[in-house]
Amino acid sequence: GWEMWRAWERHARVDTGGYASVDNVTQAPEKGPVKRIDKMESFWLGETLKYLYLLFSDDPSLLPAECFVFNTEAHPLPVMPGGTSSGLRRCVERVASENVEAIATQHGL
């Protein structure tokens, strides 16, 4: 994940603060500057950055992988053990209780 982020910063970031599309992601940088396309896809913000946020988050209870799955648009969908919302609640509470000290430290408690 970190290498991907660094590549986006190097090759796709524009001076105005956004990110451009890259014409050919297989082009080696040694062969010259990467050709950018003046377009930032909406999924860049809505999906890609969400996945990166989750990847680099230190909060184990943010969206625990054993309690949620993600669709192709990065929307979290609950896994409901036993087919009920109470099963989901138990899952999230279990993850939170297993990580209560780490969560408290992250929040300065």
Side-chain angles (χ1 to χ4, degrees):
W2 182 242
E3 289 302 314
M4 287 187 332
W5 177 252
R6 291 182 61 211
W8 279 316
E9 284 289 302
R10 256 190 327 271
H11 303 297
R13 187 170 179 95
V14 295
D15 293 337
T16 56
Y19 293 84
S21 295
V22 173
D23 185 50
N24 181 358
V25 297
T26 64
Q27 175 188 337
E30 307 83 55
K31 294 188 177 186
V34 172
K35 181 181 174 192
R36 295 181 185 148
I37 301 168
D38 187 17
K39 180 178 184 182
M40 183 173 71
E41 299 285 354
S42 62
F43 63 78
W44 167 253
L45 298 170
E47 298 169 30
T48 307
L49 292 182
K50 190 186 308 181
Y51 279 127
L52 284 170
Y53 176 77
L54 293 170
L55 179 65
F56 292 116
S57 172
D58 291 329
D59 186 346
S61 66
L62 181 63
L63 283 168
E66 58 267 39
C67 305
F68 294 91
V69 295
F70 294 89
N71 69 9
T72 57
E73 295 177 341
H75 299 300
L77 302 172
V79 174
M80 295 206 260
T84 66
S85 60
S86 61
L88 172 63
R89 181 183 180 101
R90 283 191 304 276
C91 182
V92 172
E93 287 174 346
R94 180 181 46 76
V95 170
S97 68
E98 290 170 357
N99 296 284
V100 70
E101 289 185 30
I103 295 166
T105 300
Q106 289 169 1
H107 295 281
L109 302 172

